Amino acid sequence: MSGSPISRRSLLVGAFGVAAAGALSSCVANNGPRPDPAAAGSKADIGAVAGTLRFAFWGGSDGENAGFAAAKKGFEARHPEATIELQTLPYDGFFSGIDRGILSRTAPDVFRVDYTSIGKYTSHGVLLDLSPYLTDADTDAFLPALRDAVRFEGRTYGVPHQTDTSAIAFSRAALDEAGIGAVPDRLDDAWTWQEFADVATKLRRTLPDDKYPFAYDWTAAGAYRWGSFVYQAGGSLLSEDLRHAAVDSDPGRKAMAFTQRFFDERWVPANNTIKTTVYSDNFFLNQTVAMTFVGDFLVPELADGTNGYQGGDWTTTYMPRDVAAASDLGGNAVVATRDTENPELAAAFLKFLVEEEQMRDFCQRANELPTLRSLADVQLDYAVRPDVMDVFTQQATTITETAVRETVVPGFASVNTALQDQLELAFHGRGTDAAVRATNAAVDAAVAS
């Protein structure tokens, strides 16, 4: 998930739409799974392709739009008889439109989908099975966590195009004034929870009453990012078999108690809750907070000379850690619909998008993170503030296999809605034990639904 602030926020609100999920639930009866039984890699040597392909994606940042335009130009140059029609749509209603198109068999051939929504499509058998078009070497080229994000029951249903994750942006002046000197510049040295609490306490003492130490990026459908604290504490949101909630645990209680301190000790603004209209980057942009948790896709917004952060020098550091380091899975895959009239053209385009040269170009333009192993340790020439992007690159290595498995389950939309409702109550006075029990029960019901 990425893009400009407006489209990003529309995405967060819309990505978990009940109407869209409900519409798709009938796809099994209407279309039914029809996986390609061909062996992996048996159709990998596609060769020249021809025809017209419709590719739908939501309007994102200027960098994203330029990246897709460049990909279209490059693919058409390689395949002169092929045409890629780019369909840039608003995010509001994007997936409900995709779902209606799938039901009526009028959907675009290829579309973009965030990892938090992909599970409902892979599990309903409505995507093109790419397994025959990808060799083992093709799939192994991706970072394991991102490779698994597009798989379901042993088959591959898309390509992980890019990813993003959260880290901390902070005002150097505010930390200096609070007497906070060295800030972690290596992942291994990331603040522990206790060290982070000490930093927040120092900031609370030195900041004016109407200013706050930090804001967290869990607004609206970002509620699932609370899970990063559970993972850091050594726990998980779901059981190993992904069929039950696992929040009611020692790590879950530890994460709940720690995050409730954000409000009890006034480390965050009172309205930095789940169901607010103010996002973490806004708190930082209007200088209400000294630090903020943000995704790398927001770096261009913060760095904008006219509308960006005007509070002086800012830079980035890592998410805090407890027994482990962990962060959230963001970003998008690109998938093809099962009913596309030209599956070879669709497969060829998807494979083209994730070639090393193409992925490097797109990520550099959009300030997003690559999914290929070969680019994981390469210094990319990011278009905006490349000096801060290395923190996000390193932080992305802490996206755990558990986080990926849980984020891409078919019912994740309901899980995230349960987290929205229960965390809002947890941060408005509900006791820790009661909050954990209620959250666990709501998540358990969501997984079972």
Side-chain angles (χ1 to χ4, degrees):
M1 295 179 290
S2 48
S4 67
I6 293 177
S7 63
R8 171 66 173 188
R9 287 162 194 162
S10 298
L11 175 141
L12 287 173
V13 173
F16 299 91
V18 175
L24 189 62
S25 66
S26 61
C27 288
V28 174
N30 283 291
N31 289 359
R34 191 176 60 204
D36 192 326
S42 60
K43 301 179 182 179
D45 188 13
I46 298 174
V49 289
T52 299
L53 191 78
R54 292 179 297 142
F55 173 32
F57 58 95
W58 53 89
S61 66
D62 291 342
E64 285 188 336
N65 294 337
F68 285 130
K72 164 185 164 67
K73 182 178 179 180
F75 186 80
E76 290 174 349
R78 183 180 298 182
H79 301 279
E81 296 185 20
T83 299
I84 305 298
E85 293 183 352
L86 300 181
Q87 298 182 342
T88 309
L89 305 171
Y91 194 86
D92 285 340
F94 181 87
F95 286 114
S96 59
I98 292 292
D99 295 350
R100 287 191 298 270
I102 288 173
L103 288 169
S104 63
R105 291 189 168 92
T106 60
D109 301 280
V110 172
F111 66 96
R112 195 184 199 198
V113 58
D114 55 272
Y115 300 123
T116 53
S117 298
I118 195 171
K120 72 174 184 178
Y121 294 102
T122 58
S123 64
H124 280 86
V126 297
L127 300 181
L128 177 67
D129 180 4
L130 286 182
S131 304
Y133 302 97
L134 300 172
T135 65
D136 289 342
D138 289 333
T139 55
D140 288 345
F142 298 111
L143 295 167
L146 280 306
R147 175 199 63 208
D148 294 344
V150 296
R151 292 177 65 81
F152 181 75
E153 295 184 346
R155 311 295 287 183
T156 299
Y157 291 97
V159 292
H161 186 224
Q162 48 78 221
T163 188
D164 58 64
T165 198
S166 297
I168 301 172
F170 67 92
S171 162
R172 183 68 267 178
L175 268 65
D176 286 345
E177 188 174 340
I180 300 163
V183 174
D185 59 4
R186 296 193 318 142
L187 182 61
D188 289 344
D189 298 329
W191 286 318
T192 64
W193 281 10
Q194 184 56 57
E195 290 169 336
F196 182 75
D198 292 343
V199 167
T201 300
K202 288 181 180 179
L203 285 166
R204 180 64 280 163
R205 289 172 181 165
T206 58
L207 290 168
D209 192 60
D210 61 346
K211 307 293 183 184
Y212 298 83
F214 66 92
Y216 195 73
D217 55 344
W218 48 27
T219 302
Y224 78 98
R225 295 194 184 100
W226 176 79
S228 293
F229 296 106
V230 180
Y231 303 137
Q232 290 163 17
S236 60
L237 295 176
L238 304 179
S239 60
E240 178 65 24
D241 62 7
L242 305 177
R243 295 182 179 180
H244 301 283
V247 178
D248 193 356
S249 63
D250 288 342
R253 280 183 287 276
K254 189 175 184 180
M256 184 67 75
F258 182 57
T259 52
Q260 286 177 318
R261 289 182 66 189
F262 296 2
F263 298 90
D264 295 342
E265 304 192 31
R266 298 185 69 245
W267 291 343
V268 299
N271 61 335
N272 182 212
T273 54
I274 311 302
K275 297 183 178 181
T276 185
T277 58
V278 186
Y279 287 74
S280 64
D281 53 306
N282 283 147
F283 285 114
F284 191 63
L285 288 170
N286 63 29
Q287 299 179 53
T288 300
V289 298
M291 305 186 294
T292 191
F293 290 74
V294 291
D296 48 88
F297 56 89
L298 285 171
V299 167
E301 177 197 273
L302 300 184
D304 183 86
T306 303
N307 300 310
Y309 184 69
Q310 304 297 320
D313 291 340
W314 65 274
T315 188
T316 53
T317 191
Y318 308 95
M319 295 271 285
R321 58 186 170 86
D322 187 43
V323 299
S327 191
D328 57 275
L329 173 66
N332 303 285
V334 182
V335 299
T337 49
R338 192 198 66 193
D339 291 326
T340 178
E341 294 182 358
N342 197 332
E344 287 196 350
L345 175 58
F349 182 61
L350 295 186
K351 293 178 69 172
F352 178 81
L353 287 177
V354 293
E355 289 180 3
E356 183 176 297
E357 181 180 350
Q358 303 305 319
M359 184 177 292
R360 182 199 302 267
D361 178 73
F362 184 89
C363 289
Q364 288 179 161
R365 292 175 186 266
N367 269 68
E368 293 164 4
L369 306 178
T371 62
L372 288 172
R373 292 174 185 263
S374 61
L375 294 176
D377 298 319
V378 174
Q379 190 74 36
L380 299 189
D381 184 17
Y382 288 106
V384 181
R385 289 295 302 267
D387 58 303
V388 306
M389 289 298 294
D390 185 55
V391 166
F392 292 99
T393 300
Q394 293 181 54
Q395 190 71 68
T397 66
T398 71
I399 301 172
T400 65
E401 179 184 350
T402 297
V404 174
R405 292 179 67 242
E406 294 181 354
T407 302
V408 301
V409 295
F412 195 76
S414 298
V415 170
N416 198 64
T417 298
L419 290 172
Q420 290 177 43
D421 294 339
Q422 297 307 316
L423 291 175
E424 184 74 12
L425 295 172
F427 299 150
H428 281 89
R430 179 176 276 176
T432 298
D433 288 343
V436 168
R437 289 194 300 271
T439 303
N440 193 82
V443 169
D444 202 54
V447 174
S449 64

